[in-house]
Amino acid sequence: MPSEQPAAERREVTVRRAPKFVPFLILGALVGVAVAAAVAYGLPATPDFDAGSVFGFFMVLFAGAGAILGAGLALVLDRRSVKRQQRAVVEAVPDSEPDPENGQ
């Protein structure tokens, strides 16, 4: 008795490479912290404020600005990836034997 397998289902899908936003936010904030350190410790000190308090102020300011710029860059790259998306036809293939790597 021959085993009957259902016909393979074919679907059209969209394929694109989209950036992940969180790494862009983190990298932007880290660059902002580095710029804040360069500004705080690179400028001549004033008697009113020590370098640590200046660094703390600039760190909050520049880290936020860097995260916003990182998010903007991620949005630009995301829009660019939408323009470069491609369509593909996929077909479901049933497993003929269990996969030993997945324990099946």
Side-chain angles (χ1 to χ4, degrees):
M1 179 180 230
S3 65
E4 296 212 12
Q5 295 181 353
E9 180 184 351
R10 298 182 78 142
R11 291 187 294 164
E12 188 172 324
V13 295
T14 302
V15 180
R16 70 181 179 110
R17 294 183 60 182
K20 295 184 180 190
F21 282 77
V22 174
F24 280 92
L25 292 171
I26 292 172
L27 183 62
L30 289 176
V31 169
V33 169
V35 171
V39 169
Y41 294 110
L43 295 177
T46 62
D48 297 334
F49 303 105
D50 65 336
S53 62
V54 173
F55 172 67
F57 175 75
F58 280 137
M59 182 179 66
V60 170
L61 188 69
F62 289 161
I68 290 171
L69 289 174
L73 178 62
L75 282 173
V76 168
L77 292 175
D78 186 52
R79 296 292 178 230
R80 193 170 162 202
S81 74
V82 169
K83 291 179 183 177
R84 293 184 178 194
Q85 69 186 4
Q86 297 178 352
R87 312 262 320 154
V89 176
V90 295
E91 183 176 317
V93 179
D95 287 336
S96 58
E97 56 186 59
D99 189 7
E101 291 179 5
N102 292 333
Q104 295 178 354

XYZ file of all heavy atoms in Angstrom:
766
model
N 0.841 -1.166 0.000
C 0.000 0.000 0.000
C 0.893 1.239 0.000
O 1.664 1.443 0.932
C -0.880 -0.067 1.233
C -1.793 1.078 1.409
S -2.718 0.794 2.918
C -4.310 1.071 2.334
N 0.838 2.047 -1.013
C 1.700 3.227 -1.071
C 1.241 4.277 -0.065
O 0.048 4.498 0.134
C 1.551 3.719 -2.504
C 0.269 3.164 -2.987
C 0.038 1.896 -2.218
N 2.232 4.907 0.585
C 1.879 5.962 1.539
C 1.650 7.255 0.768
O 2.433 7.627 -0.087
C 2.988 6.148 2.565
O 4.144 6.626 1.920
N 0.559 7.887 1.094
C 0.220 9.117 0.395
C 0.693 10.298 1.214
O 0.379 10.417 2.389
C -1.287 9.190 0.183
C -1.779 8.084 -0.704
C -2.962 8.526 -1.513
O -3.253 9.715 -1.549
O -3.586 7.661 -2.117
N 1.475 11.135 0.599
C 1.942 12.344 1.249
C 1.186 13.522 0.657
O 0.923 13.559 -0.542
C 3.444 12.533 1.034
C 4.275 11.467 1.691
C 5.753 11.725 1.460
O 6.124 12.611 0.725
N 6.572 10.922 2.089
N 0.834 14.469 1.517
C 0.115 15.634 0.985
C 1.021 16.427 0.047
O 2.240 16.395 0.152
C -0.241 16.446 2.232
C 0.704 15.976 3.279
C 1.060 14.560 2.937
N 0.399 17.105 -0.880
C 1.164 17.935 -1.815
C 1.879 19.041 -1.044
O 1.352 19.592 -0.075
C 0.223 18.546 -2.846
N 3.094 19.325 -1.454
C 3.888 20.355 -0.777
C 3.243 21.724 -0.996
O 2.816 22.054 -2.096
C 5.308 20.351 -1.300
N 3.179 22.474 0.070
C 2.578 23.799 0.007
C 3.633 24.807 -0.444
O 4.724 24.854 0.093
C 2.045 24.190 1.382
C 1.409 25.544 1.414
C 0.965 25.943 2.807
O 0.991 25.103 3.718
O 0.631 27.111 2.974
N 3.289 25.634 -1.413
C 4.197 26.661 -1.921
C 3.654 28.024 -1.515
O 2.461 28.288 -1.644
C 4.308 26.576 -3.428
C 4.878 25.261 -3.906
C 4.987 25.275 -5.377
N 6.184 26.057 -5.692
C 7.035 25.783 -6.652
N 6.808 24.765 -7.429
N 8.085 26.509 -6.870
N 4.561 28.850 -1.005
C 4.167 30.200 -0.606
C 5.204 31.191 -1.096
O 6.377 30.862 -1.224
C 4.076 30.321 0.913
C 2.936 29.534 1.516
C 2.803 29.819 2.974
N 3.988 29.323 3.678
C 4.328 29.669 4.893
N 3.609 30.518 5.573
N 5.408 29.168 5.469
N 4.768 32.397 -1.317
C 5.689 33.460 -1.690
C 5.965 34.293 -0.440
O 5.039 34.713 0.262
C 5.075 34.340 -2.785
C 6.051 35.335 -3.348
C 5.498 36.058 -4.565
O 4.789 35.435 -5.354
O 5.798 37.241 -4.675
N 7.240 34.513 -0.147
C 7.635 35.262 1.049
C 8.534 36.415 0.639
O 9.114 36.435 -0.444
C 8.368 34.358 2.068
C 7.446 33.289 2.602
C 9.606 33.771 1.475
N 8.640 37.387 1.555
C 9.528 38.526 1.354
C 10.768 38.322 2.204
O 10.666 38.034 3.398
C 8.820 39.826 1.775
O 7.624 39.955 1.006
C 9.700 41.023 1.536
N 11.939 38.497 1.592
C 13.203 38.308 2.293
C 13.956 39.632 2.283
O 14.148 40.245 1.229
C 14.058 37.216 1.601
C 15.369 37.026 2.326
C 13.289 35.919 1.525
N 14.375 40.081 3.474
C 15.186 41.291 3.567
C 16.060 41.217 4.807
O 15.769 40.480 5.740
C 14.328 42.551 3.600
C 13.529 42.736 4.873
C 12.692 44.005 4.785
N 11.912 44.199 5.975
C 12.139 45.151 6.858
N 13.115 46.013 6.661
N 11.398 45.271 7.929
N 17.131 41.968 4.798
C 18.042 42.028 5.935
C 17.758 43.311 6.698
O 18.125 44.398 6.257
C 19.484 42.004 5.455
C 19.857 40.693 4.800
C 21.282 40.681 4.408
N 22.099 40.866 5.613
C 23.408 40.934 5.613
N 24.062 40.859 4.497
N 24.077 41.087 6.736
N 17.090 43.199 7.819
C 16.731 44.361 8.624
C 17.679 44.464 9.826
O 18.048 43.450 10.412
C 15.291 44.238 9.116
N 18.076 45.681 10.192
C 18.968 45.832 11.341
C 18.223 45.627 12.656
O 17.010 45.843 12.745
C 19.459 47.278 11.208
C 18.353 47.978 10.507
C 17.770 46.957 9.560
N 18.957 45.233 13.683
C 18.389 45.150 15.029
C 18.605 46.497 15.702
O 19.699 47.051 15.669
C 19.064 44.034 15.813
C 18.789 42.684 15.213
C 19.366 41.586 16.045
C 19.052 40.263 15.378
N 19.359 39.143 16.216
N 17.576 47.029 16.320
C 17.628 48.384 16.840
C 18.421 48.498 18.140
O 19.100 49.491 18.364
C 16.206 48.918 17.043
C 15.555 49.352 15.763
C 15.049 48.436 14.869
C 15.476 50.687 15.435
C 14.471 48.828 13.684
C 14.890 51.110 14.256
C 14.387 50.180 13.376
N 18.333 47.516 19.013
C 18.975 47.610 20.326
C 20.489 47.776 20.220
O 21.055 48.633 20.910
C 18.580 46.405 21.210
C 19.356 46.407 22.509
C 17.087 46.430 21.494
N 21.190 47.017 19.376
C 22.637 47.262 19.269
C 22.981 48.678 18.793
O 23.968 49.253 19.238
C 23.107 46.225 18.250
C 22.111 45.131 18.346
C 20.818 45.807 18.642
N 22.165 49.253 17.921
C 22.407 50.625 17.476
C 22.208 51.610 18.620
O 22.964 52.576 18.759
C 21.486 50.983 16.304
C 21.961 50.461 14.982
C 21.537 49.225 14.519
C 22.830 51.199 14.200
C 21.974 48.741 13.306
C 23.267 50.723 12.978
C 22.842 49.488 12.533
N 21.186 51.378 19.451
C 20.960 52.250 20.608
C 22.116 52.157 21.598
O 22.602 53.177 22.103
C 19.651 51.879 21.303
C 18.372 52.157 20.530
C 17.184 51.537 21.247
C 18.164 53.629 20.377
N 22.554 50.940 21.874
C 23.643 50.743 22.836
C 24.940 51.341 22.312
O 25.655 52.041 23.039
C 23.804 49.247 23.160
C 22.581 48.755 23.940
C 25.082 48.988 23.943
C 22.539 47.264 24.146
N 25.249 51.090 21.042
C 26.473 51.634 20.463
C 26.444 53.165 20.441
O 27.452 53.810 20.748
C 26.682 51.091 19.050
C 27.971 51.520 18.363
C 29.185 51.012 19.144
C 28.005 51.023 16.947
N 25.307 53.744 20.115
C 25.178 55.204 20.126
C 25.390 55.773 21.514
O 26.070 56.792 21.690
N 24.834 55.119 22.541
C 25.014 55.588 23.910
C 26.470 55.447 24.347
O 27.012 56.340 25.029
C 24.097 54.809 24.853
N 27.129 54.349 23.972
C 28.542 54.175 24.335
C 29.435 55.202 23.651
O 30.384 55.717 24.269
C 28.994 52.756 23.994
C 28.422 51.648 24.873
C 28.873 50.288 24.369
C 28.829 51.844 26.318
N 29.145 55.522 22.408
C 29.901 56.571 21.728
C 29.663 57.911 22.421
O 30.594 58.710 22.593
C 29.529 56.629 20.227
C 30.084 57.872 19.563
C 30.020 55.385 19.519
N 28.436 58.152 22.850
C 28.129 59.378 23.587
C 28.893 59.466 24.896
O 29.385 60.535 25.275
N 29.038 58.337 25.605
C 29.807 58.320 26.857
C 31.282 58.604 26.571
O 31.942 59.346 27.307
C 29.623 56.972 27.594
C 30.605 56.827 28.739
C 28.193 56.851 28.105
N 31.806 58.043 25.491
C 33.201 58.288 25.131
C 33.432 59.760 24.781
O 34.442 60.356 25.183
C 33.605 57.389 23.965
N 32.498 60.349 24.061
C 32.618 61.771 23.722
C 32.510 62.618 24.981
O 33.246 63.605 25.155
C 31.552 62.167 22.673
C 31.507 63.672 22.468
C 31.819 61.460 21.359
N 31.642 62.229 25.896
C 31.506 62.970 27.159
C 32.798 62.909 27.964
O 33.220 63.914 28.553
C 30.343 62.410 27.977
N 33.448 61.755 27.993
C 34.721 61.640 28.707
C 35.785 62.509 28.051
O 36.573 63.170 28.739
C 35.171 60.175 28.746
N 35.818 62.526 26.722
C 36.805 63.347 26.019
C 36.576 64.830 26.287
O 37.532 65.583 26.495
C 36.746 63.055 24.523
N 35.317 65.239 26.307
C 35.016 66.645 26.555
C 35.311 67.004 28.013
O 35.926 68.037 28.298
C 33.549 66.957 26.195
C 33.124 68.326 26.694
C 33.342 66.859 24.693
N 34.900 66.172 28.943
C 35.042 66.499 30.367
C 36.499 66.513 30.807
O 36.909 67.385 31.579
C 34.250 65.506 31.212
N 37.274 65.541 30.355
C 38.655 65.439 30.808
C 39.637 66.098 29.843
O 40.806 66.286 30.172
C 39.038 63.977 31.039
C 38.252 63.374 32.183
C 37.271 62.419 31.943
C 38.472 63.777 33.490
C 36.535 61.871 32.975
C 37.742 63.239 34.535
C 36.776 62.287 34.270
O 36.052 61.756 35.307
N 39.186 66.483 28.661
C 40.068 67.130 27.696
C 40.092 68.634 27.815
O 41.060 69.284 27.430
N 39.023 69.205 28.339
C 38.973 70.655 28.505
C 39.675 71.057 29.793
O 39.747 70.274 30.751
C 37.514 71.128 28.533
C 36.712 70.941 27.254
C 35.274 71.398 27.460
C 37.340 71.722 26.102
N 40.162 72.274 29.863
C 40.797 72.721 31.113
C 39.777 72.786 32.252
O 38.615 73.130 32.052
C 41.340 74.108 30.777
C 40.816 74.464 29.431
C 40.234 73.262 28.813
N 40.226 72.418 33.443
C 39.345 72.376 34.618
C 39.013 73.792 35.089
O 39.785 74.724 34.908
C 40.007 71.596 35.736
N 37.842 73.916 35.677
C 37.434 75.192 36.271
C 37.356 75.014 37.779
O 37.111 73.910 38.270
C 36.052 75.631 35.739
O 35.095 74.656 36.113
C 36.065 75.779 34.227
N 37.547 76.066 38.529
C 37.469 75.923 39.986
C 36.051 75.672 40.495
O 35.855 75.191 41.605
C 38.006 77.254 40.503
C 37.939 78.206 39.368
C 37.968 77.394 38.114
N 35.039 75.965 39.690
C 33.659 75.789 40.128
C 33.212 74.334 40.114
O 32.438 73.914 40.979
C 32.710 76.610 39.249
C 32.974 78.105 39.353
O 33.484 78.543 40.397
O 32.665 78.817 38.377
N 33.682 73.570 39.135
C 33.231 72.183 38.982
C 34.431 71.276 38.807
O 35.356 71.607 38.072
C 32.323 72.040 37.754
C 31.116 72.933 37.776
C 31.057 74.069 36.984
C 30.044 72.636 38.585
C 29.955 74.891 36.996
C 28.933 73.450 38.616
C 28.884 74.582 37.825
N 34.388 70.110 39.449
C 35.471 69.151 39.211
C 35.149 68.326 37.952
O 34.029 68.335 37.454
C 35.697 68.250 40.424
C 34.518 67.348 40.729
O 33.387 67.698 40.331
O 34.719 66.306 41.369
N 36.145 67.612 37.450
C 35.993 66.886 36.182
C 34.952 65.771 36.288
O 34.257 65.464 35.315
C 37.337 66.310 35.748
N 34.793 65.154 37.456
C 33.819 64.082 37.635
C 32.388 64.553 37.474
O 31.568 63.885 36.851
N 32.071 65.710 38.043
C 30.704 66.213 37.913
C 30.420 66.694 36.488
O 29.312 66.526 35.986
C 30.447 67.329 38.914
O 31.298 68.428 38.667
N 31.425 67.262 35.844
C 31.261 67.670 34.444
C 31.052 66.434 33.568
O 30.194 66.422 32.681
C 32.486 68.490 33.968
C 32.398 68.762 32.468
C 32.579 69.797 34.738
N 31.821 65.375 33.843
C 31.659 64.133 33.089
C 30.263 63.556 33.297
O 29.618 63.105 32.341
C 32.722 63.106 33.495
C 32.492 61.748 32.910
C 32.599 61.534 31.545
C 32.156 60.680 33.720
C 32.379 60.285 30.997
C 31.939 59.430 33.181
C 32.051 59.231 31.811
N 29.751 63.554 34.515
C 28.409 63.031 34.776
C 27.332 63.792 34.027
O 26.406 63.196 33.465
N 27.451 65.117 34.019
C 26.476 65.931 33.295
C 26.533 65.641 31.804
O 25.504 65.394 31.160
C 26.744 67.414 33.567
C 25.875 68.330 32.771
C 24.548 68.514 33.107
C 26.377 69.007 31.663
C 23.732 69.359 32.370
C 25.578 69.843 30.917
C 24.258 70.020 31.271
N 27.746 65.678 31.240
C 27.879 65.436 29.807
C 27.556 63.995 29.433
O 27.094 63.726 28.327
C 29.283 65.794 29.324
C 29.489 67.268 29.115
C 30.650 67.890 29.541
C 28.534 68.043 28.490
C 30.847 69.236 29.352
C 28.717 69.394 28.294
C 29.876 69.997 28.724
N 27.788 63.053 30.336
C 27.484 61.650 30.050
C 25.982 61.468 29.830
O 25.567 60.803 28.868
C 27.957 60.737 31.180
C 27.705 59.273 30.904
S 28.282 58.194 32.204
C 27.212 58.664 33.541
N 25.176 62.043 30.688
C 23.723 61.939 30.525
C 23.285 62.610 29.221
O 22.500 62.055 28.448
C 23.000 62.565 31.736
C 21.509 62.686 31.487
C 23.275 61.766 32.990
N 23.833 63.767 28.957
C 23.456 64.525 27.768
C 23.896 63.817 26.485
O 23.089 63.599 25.568
C 24.083 65.920 27.842
C 23.663 66.937 26.798
C 22.214 67.331 27.039
C 24.560 68.150 26.884
N 25.167 63.424 26.422
C 25.694 62.836 25.196
C 25.249 61.385 24.998
O 25.110 60.937 23.863
C 27.214 62.919 25.162
C 27.746 64.315 24.963
C 29.048 64.618 25.288
C 26.951 65.319 24.456
C 29.557 65.899 25.108
C 27.441 66.602 24.271
C 28.748 66.886 24.595
N 25.044 60.639 26.066
C 24.563 59.256 25.911
C 23.147 59.254 25.342
O 22.816 58.437 24.471
C 24.618 58.510 27.235
N 22.311 60.153 25.822
C 20.958 60.254 25.265
C 20.966 60.677 23.810
O 20.250 60.113 22.975
N 21.804 61.665 23.492
C 21.901 62.124 22.103
C 22.469 61.019 21.213
O 22.011 60.825 20.076
C 22.772 63.371 22.024
N 23.448 60.272 21.715
C 24.022 59.174 20.929
C 23.012 58.068 20.682
O 22.972 57.485 19.595
N 22.190 57.758 21.685
C 21.161 56.734 21.501
C 20.128 57.184 20.469
O 19.680 56.387 19.640
C 20.485 56.421 22.836
N 19.779 58.459 20.489
C 18.830 58.977 19.502
C 19.431 58.921 18.098
O 18.759 58.530 17.137
C 18.389 60.407 19.874
C 17.513 60.358 21.126
C 17.660 61.087 18.722
C 17.192 61.713 21.713
N 20.706 59.291 17.968
C 21.359 59.217 16.663
C 21.493 57.768 16.188
O 21.335 57.476 14.995
C 22.725 59.890 16.713
C 22.709 61.416 16.821
C 24.123 61.946 16.999
C 22.046 62.027 15.609
N 21.774 56.849 17.111
C 21.841 55.430 16.749
C 20.503 54.907 16.276
O 20.426 54.130 15.321
N 19.429 55.320 16.938
C 18.089 54.915 16.507
C 17.764 55.490 15.137
O 17.164 54.814 14.290
C 17.051 55.358 17.525
N 18.177 56.727 14.889
C 17.960 57.332 13.576
C 18.697 56.594 12.478
O 18.156 56.357 11.389
N 19.943 56.200 12.766
C 20.715 55.437 11.792
C 20.065 54.075 11.528
O 19.986 53.626 10.379
C 22.150 55.252 12.280
C 23.073 54.436 11.377
C 23.234 55.111 10.027
C 24.404 54.230 12.050
N 19.570 53.428 12.574
C 18.892 52.138 12.399
C 17.624 52.301 11.560
O 17.321 51.442 10.726
C 18.565 51.521 13.757
N 16.898 53.386 11.765
C 15.697 53.623 10.958
C 16.036 53.848 9.489
O 15.356 53.337 8.598
C 14.930 54.833 11.496
C 14.093 54.590 12.737
C 13.538 55.909 13.264
C 12.963 53.635 12.432
N 17.112 54.592 9.239
C 17.531 54.825 7.852
C 17.922 53.504 7.193
O 17.525 53.217 6.053
C 18.701 55.836 7.808
C 19.349 55.869 6.433
C 18.215 57.222 8.196
N 18.690 52.678 7.906
C 19.094 51.389 7.346
C 17.896 50.453 7.171
O 17.866 49.654 6.237
C 20.159 50.741 8.235
C 21.510 51.455 8.249
C 22.443 50.790 9.242
C 22.118 51.483 6.867
N 16.916 50.551 8.071
C 15.713 49.728 7.936
C 14.922 50.131 6.695
O 14.451 49.271 5.948
C 14.854 49.855 9.190
C 13.665 48.918 9.158
O 13.877 47.706 8.929
O 12.528 49.394 9.344
N 14.772 51.414 6.468
C 14.055 51.880 5.267
C 14.801 51.469 4.001
O 14.192 51.131 2.996
C 13.888 53.404 5.280
C 13.040 53.899 6.396
C 11.602 53.475 6.210
N 10.820 53.942 7.333
C 10.001 53.186 8.023
N 9.846 51.921 7.718
N 9.324 53.667 9.032
N 16.109 51.491 4.078
C 16.925 51.086 2.931
C 16.756 49.589 2.648
O 16.737 49.169 1.491
C 18.375 51.416 3.227
C 19.272 51.356 2.063
C 20.613 51.944 2.427
N 21.595 51.523 1.460
C 22.870 51.503 1.668
N 23.346 51.886 2.835
N 23.700 51.122 0.740
N 16.615 48.792 3.706
C 16.442 47.356 3.503
C 15.070 47.036 2.919
O 14.917 46.032 2.225
C 16.649 46.595 4.817
O 15.556 46.776 5.687
N 14.081 47.880 3.186
C 12.752 47.669 2.604
C 12.824 47.850 1.088
O 12.191 47.110 0.335
C 11.715 48.630 3.230
C 10.414 48.623 2.459
C 11.471 48.266 4.680
N 13.632 48.804 0.653
C 13.758 49.041 -0.783
C 14.491 47.896 -1.482
O 14.286 47.656 -2.656
C 14.501 50.350 -1.042
C 13.714 51.571 -0.649
C 14.509 52.828 -0.902
C 13.732 54.052 -0.438
N 14.517 55.277 -0.599
N 15.349 47.193 -0.753
C 16.143 46.121 -1.348
C 15.565 44.730 -1.084
O 16.254 43.739 -1.286
C 17.573 46.171 -0.805
C 18.311 47.390 -1.243
C 19.723 47.344 -0.757
N 20.440 48.517 -1.220
C 21.730 48.635 -1.179
N 22.466 47.673 -0.679
N 22.322 49.725 -1.613
N 14.340 44.660 -0.616
C 13.758 43.350 -0.315
C 13.525 42.559 -1.589
O 13.372 43.119 -2.669
C 12.463 43.509 0.461
C 11.318 44.111 -0.318
C 10.118 44.363 0.557
O 10.169 44.163 1.751
N 9.040 44.813 -0.032
N 13.515 41.250 -1.448
C 13.309 40.366 -2.582
C 12.187 39.391 -2.260
O 11.934 39.088 -1.103
C 14.591 39.597 -2.902
C 15.734 40.484 -3.321
C 16.998 39.698 -3.586
O 17.067 38.503 -3.322
N 18.000 40.358 -4.126
N 11.547 38.900 -3.283
C 10.482 37.915 -3.123
C 11.051 36.551 -3.467
O 11.858 36.416 -4.377
C 9.308 38.233 -4.036
C 8.865 39.667 -3.985
C 7.740 40.088 -3.166
N 6.570 39.305 -3.062
C 5.800 39.388 -1.983
N 6.144 40.157 -0.996
N 4.707 38.690 -1.902
N 10.605 35.541 -2.729
C 11.058 34.173 -2.974
C 9.879 33.227 -2.796
O 8.938 33.506 -2.051
C 12.176 33.800 -2.017
N 9.941 32.110 -3.480
C 8.914 31.076 -3.351
C 9.509 29.950 -2.522
O 10.592 29.450 -2.816
C 8.478 30.553 -4.738
C 7.478 29.422 -4.592
C 7.891 31.684 -5.554
N 8.820 29.594 -1.448
C 9.284 28.516 -0.577
C 8.291 27.363 -0.644
O 7.111 27.542 -0.906
C 9.462 28.995 0.885
C 10.553 30.022 0.977
C 8.172 29.527 1.448
N 8.820 26.179 -0.398
C 8.000 24.976 -0.444
C 8.295 24.145 0.793
O 9.454 23.903 1.126
C 8.349 24.188 -1.708
C 7.526 22.957 -1.899
C 7.866 22.280 -3.218
O 8.007 22.984 -4.232
O 7.996 21.054 -3.207
N 7.263 23.737 1.495
C 7.417 22.902 2.685
C 7.762 21.484 2.249
O 7.092 20.905 1.394
C 6.147 22.903 3.508
N 8.817 20.946 2.831
C 9.251 19.589 2.519
C 9.110 18.755 3.783
O 9.743 19.045 4.793
C 10.705 19.569 2.012
C 11.148 18.153 1.725
C 10.858 20.443 0.794
N 8.292 17.707 3.775
C 8.140 16.886 4.978
C 9.418 16.083 5.241
O 10.114 15.670 4.313
C 6.965 15.979 4.654
C 6.889 15.965 3.166
C 7.439 17.279 2.683
N 9.723 15.890 6.512
C 10.895 15.098 6.895
C 10.631 13.629 6.618
O 9.612 13.076 7.018
C 11.210 15.278 8.381
C 11.801 16.642 8.673
O 12.368 17.244 7.744
O 11.701 17.094 9.819
N 11.572 12.988 5.941
C 11.411 11.570 5.656
C 11.988 10.712 6.773
O 11.571 9.594 6.983
C 12.074 11.216 4.326
O 13.437 11.554 4.375
N 12.975 11.256 7.510
C 13.548 10.531 8.637
C 13.833 11.525 9.747
O 14.039 12.705 9.514
C 14.815 9.797 8.214
C 15.876 10.678 7.596
C 17.041 9.867 7.057
O 16.808 9.019 6.190
O 18.137 10.102 7.533
N 13.853 11.043 10.997
C 14.056 11.964 12.119
C 15.443 12.597 12.089
O 16.407 12.018 11.607
C 13.900 11.087 13.360
C 13.573 9.731 12.874
C 13.624 9.698 11.398
N 15.502 13.802 12.617
C 16.749 14.549 12.689
C 17.469 14.188 13.985
O 16.957 14.439 15.070
C 16.453 16.045 12.645
C 17.693 16.890 12.499
O 18.784 16.311 12.298
O 17.574 18.125 12.576
N 18.677 13.589 13.933
C 19.361 13.157 15.161
C 19.831 14.338 16.014
O 19.999 14.206 17.217
C 20.531 12.336 14.663
C 20.767 12.763 13.262
C 19.424 13.222 12.745
N 20.041 15.509 15.432
C 20.515 16.659 16.200
C 19.433 17.212 17.114
O 19.703 17.770 18.152
C 21.012 17.752 15.263
C 22.288 17.366 14.539
C 22.731 18.475 13.589
O 22.114 19.550 13.579
O 23.700 18.246 12.848
N 18.192 17.085 16.715
C 17.081 17.621 17.516
C 16.505 16.576 18.453
O 15.531 16.854 19.145
C 15.977 18.169 16.607
C 16.426 19.405 15.855
O 17.291 20.133 16.326
N 15.842 19.634 14.712
N 17.024 15.388 18.454
C 16.544 14.353 19.359
C 15.217 13.750 18.945
O 14.496 13.208 19.764
N 14.872 13.830 17.706
C 13.589 13.271 17.248
C 13.793 11.901 16.665
O 14.770 11.539 16.145
C 12.960 14.184 16.204
C 12.591 15.520 16.789
C 12.001 16.443 15.709
O 11.985 16.110 14.531
N 11.521 17.568 16.133
